[in-house]
Amino acid sequence: MPSARAGRILVAALAGAGLLVSGCARPSVGSDRDDPTKPVTLKFWHGWAERGEVKAVNDSIARFEKAHPNIKVETIGNVTDETMNQALRAGGSDAPDVVSSFTTNNVGQYCSSGMWADLDPFLKKSGVDKKKVFPKTLLDYTQFRGRQCALPLLADAFGLYYNKDAFRKAGIDRPPRTMSEFARDAVKLTRRDKDGSYRRVGFMPSFRLYQNSPDRMFAQWGPTYFDAKGKAALAKDPRSKDFFRTQLKLINAQGGYGPLEKFRTMFGDEMSSQNAFLTQKVAMHMDGEWRGRMLKEAKAPFHWDTAPLPVPDDQADTYGRGYLNGTVIGIAHSSMHQNAAWELVKFLTTDTDEVVSFANAIHNVPSTFGALNSPKLDADPTFRAFLDIAKNPHSSAPPPSNNGGQYITALQDFSYEVEAGRVPDLDKGLRTLDAQIDADNLQSEN
């Protein structure tokens, strides 16, 4: 059945079974004493819903079942984090054994609540050295306060898409590598009609555009969100002010916030044929690795390529870095078949050929060193740029928190005010932002 309908039926079934309940401060207790060689059926819940992605998941499960004939896996897709968490709180035979999520910001909650089992004992028992298997950044966003409750299941890397035809006509021979080059090229690439209205901007800096969430661009600075004691530290880090000042320079160099916002509202939907990069309303664009496949399927009427996003001028040696996040997978603490569940998690996350096959199928970045360096990986040069970003030691992801990344939401709201020119004193504004983040974290812990 269509995955969207499957999701609705799942919610109704859970409600009927009494699983959609709130409260339950402690998760249901499962068992890690099961024999994974005995016949068993596992329930695997995931969020993929697009037909090709669901097929890729099912193909992976088929490969697993062939290698483990005693384990059958029932999959349910298009499951939201909220539905999954409600079922995990309640536990019971209808709850999942293996769970995955697209929301890395929620890992802190999964780990601190205990709803996702600690995977370190399973890794140790299997002889898997996680630091040798997974890139550090991906490990960082799958654990919280020393608890490895999740593992990476493919990743997303964010980089720069650029219109090669527009670059050639503007006399630009390569993508920008520093923020000063970025601003210079953005101005050169901007085109206006005779009445002064925009025909194209070099780069649309608005934090409200598509994937332009401020934390993704901020990754180019290597920011410090929290100090060693867990207190918000954005106001103390000079890179925070430099980030916002650079953003304002980009805005002002291309005509100012008001005109740019007016032009942005004329852009089409991100996932449609009216995407602003596809329709050449922007010459440079920040996006994830999946955009390349979409541009090819849409037969973009111009030549394009990919590169890492620029970095601050005083960090030129870090060029090649980028923002990373991705899908995470774990074992439900309530599962009575945790050893069998681990066999599935281990297969999906550490088997090099499996990770490569899945990455190629859904055009995501693989999440292990072995898969990143595999000759079987998609050789498309426009995809390779994102593989290099994933392997770059300077690439980063926002740290997990105990409240599902509420600090990222606070950063977004603050960033909207900054770009609109409504924060005259950045120092004061950043101190207020830190105080808000600390208050939100304290409330979550109480």
Side-chain angles (χ1 to χ4, degrees):
M1 66 180 67
S3 56
R5 184 180 169 214
R8 291 194 296 270
I9 291 175
L10 170 64
V11 172
L14 291 172
L19 289 178
L20 294 186
V21 296
S22 57
C24 293
R26 295 181 179 275
S28 297
V29 177
S31 173
D32 60 359
R33 301 297 178 90
D34 61 300
D35 184 347
T37 66
K38 299 293 185 181
V40 66
T41 298
L42 300 175
K43 296 180 178 63
F44 174 33
W45 289 10
H46 63 80
W48 283 285
E50 191 270 330
R51 181 177 299 177
E53 294 173 338
V54 171
K55 180 181 183 302
V57 174
N58 292 338
D59 288 345
S60 291
I61 296 303
R63 290 189 288 269
F64 171 77
E65 290 180 336
K66 183 177 181 180
H68 300 77
N70 65 297
I71 303 177
K72 302 302 178 186
V73 182
E74 297 177 352
T75 63
I76 297 181
N78 198 28
V79 181
T80 66
D81 282 16
E82 181 181 4
T83 297
M84 177 184 66
N85 289 341
Q86 289 173 327
L88 292 182
R89 289 189 189 100
S93 60
D94 291 322
D97 300 285
V98 177
V99 286
S100 70
S101 168
F102 300 145
T103 314
T104 55
N105 287 344
N106 284 344
V107 168
Q109 288 182 316
Y110 304 150
C111 292
S112 61
S113 68
M115 288 191 296
W116 289 32
D118 186 359
L119 299 182
D120 273 327
F122 296 97
L123 288 160
K124 183 177 180 179
K125 183 167 54 178
S126 300
V128 177
D129 187 339
K130 62 184 180 181
K131 293 182 180 180
K132 293 182 179 179
V133 174
F134 304 103
K136 181 180 182 302
T137 302
L138 276 59
L139 274 182
D140 287 345
Y141 69 61
T142 52
Q143 59 183 305
F144 183 65
R145 295 178 179 172
R147 184 181 176 88
Q148 188 76 53
C149 73
L151 287 177
L153 179 59
L154 305 189
D156 290 321
F158 288 78
L160 183 72
Y161 286 80
Y162 63 99
N163 185 321
K164 294 176 69 175
D165 295 344
F167 267 55
R168 178 179 52 80
K169 291 178 182 178
I172 305 172
D173 60 4
R174 63 166 175 79
R177 296 172 184 168
T178 65
M179 287 297 165
S180 60
E181 292 179 352
F182 195 29
R184 179 199 66 197
D185 292 348
V187 173
K188 285 185 178 181
L189 291 161
T190 297
R191 295 287 180 269
R192 296 177 183 265
D193 290 324
K194 291 182 179 180
D195 63 359
S197 59
Y198 291 107
R199 189 186 327 150
R200 181 184 72 209
V201 294
F203 176 80
M204 176 56 74
S206 171
F207 289 130
R208 298 179 185 272
L209 174 67
Y210 301 163
Q211 298 292 326
N212 279 17
S213 177
D215 54 308
R216 290 172 185 160
M217 183 66 80
F218 201 10
Q220 300 310 107
W221 275 256
T224 301
Y225 285 96
F226 301 100
D227 62 21
K229 296 181 180 179
K231 297 293 185 181
L234 292 171
K236 298 176 183 178
D237 187 347
R239 290 170 292 190
S240 301
K241 283 198 296 183
D242 185 51
F243 165 59
F244 285 114
R245 286 170 177 166
T246 300
Q247 175 76 356
L248 292 171
K249 287 179 183 177
L250 275 170
I251 292 171
N252 294 331
Q254 295 178 96
Y257 176 76
L260 286 172
E261 272 297 282
K262 181 179 179 181
F263 188 49
R264 183 186 67 82
T265 60
M266 300 168 63
F267 292 174
D269 183 76
E270 176 185 4
M271 297 299 177
S272 76
S273 61
Q274 296 304 303
N275 174 279
F277 184 69
L278 181 59
T279 55
Q280 303 187 72
K281 288 184 171 64
V282 295
M284 296 185 290
H285 181 56
M286 181 177 74
D287 216 329
E289 76 285 341
W290 63 83
R291 180 61 55 187
R293 182 179 66 177
M294 298 179 74
L295 289 170
K296 290 174 184 175
E297 291 175 350
K299 298 180 179 179
F302 58 92
H303 297 93
W304 58 273
D305 208 341
T306 60
L309 283 160
V311 296
D313 290 42
D314 62 355
Q315 298 188 54
D317 61 329
T318 68
Y319 178 69
R321 79 191 319 172
Y323 174 97
L324 300 176
N325 67 4
T327 305
V328 298
I329 187 170
I331 298 172
H333 187 271
S334 58
S335 172
M336 300 301 293
H337 315 289
Q338 292 180 12
N339 287 314
W342 167 244
E343 292 300 319
L344 176 58
V345 171
K346 181 176 65 172
F347 176 80
L348 294 176
T349 61
T350 69
D351 184 286
T352 297
D353 286 343
E354 170 55 31
V355 174
V356 169
S357 295
F358 194 29
N360 285 342
I362 68 173
H363 207 67
N364 276 182
V365 173
S367 42
T368 68
F369 288 120
L372 283 166
N373 295 309
S374 171
K376 299 178 183 179
L377 196 59
D378 188 341
D380 181 350
T382 61
F383 184 54
R384 289 279 165 179
F386 295 96
L387 303 182
D388 291 339
I389 291 169
K391 289 186 280 189
N392 190 292
H394 297 290
S395 292
S396 62
S401 70
N402 63 356
N403 59 11
Q406 180 61 35
Y407 72 96
I408 297 297
T409 301
L411 174 66
Q412 287 178 331
D413 292 340
F414 177 72
S415 300
Y416 297 153
E417 295 295 300
V418 172
E419 68 179 0
R422 294 193 286 264
V423 182
D425 187 335
L426 267 178
D427 285 307
K428 181 179 178 181
L430 286 166
R431 289 195 299 271
T432 302
L433 174 61
D434 278 349
Q436 178 185 345
I437 292 171
D438 286 338
D440 290 341
N441 286 341
L442 182 62
Q443 183 177 7
S444 297
E445 292 177 351
N446 292 336

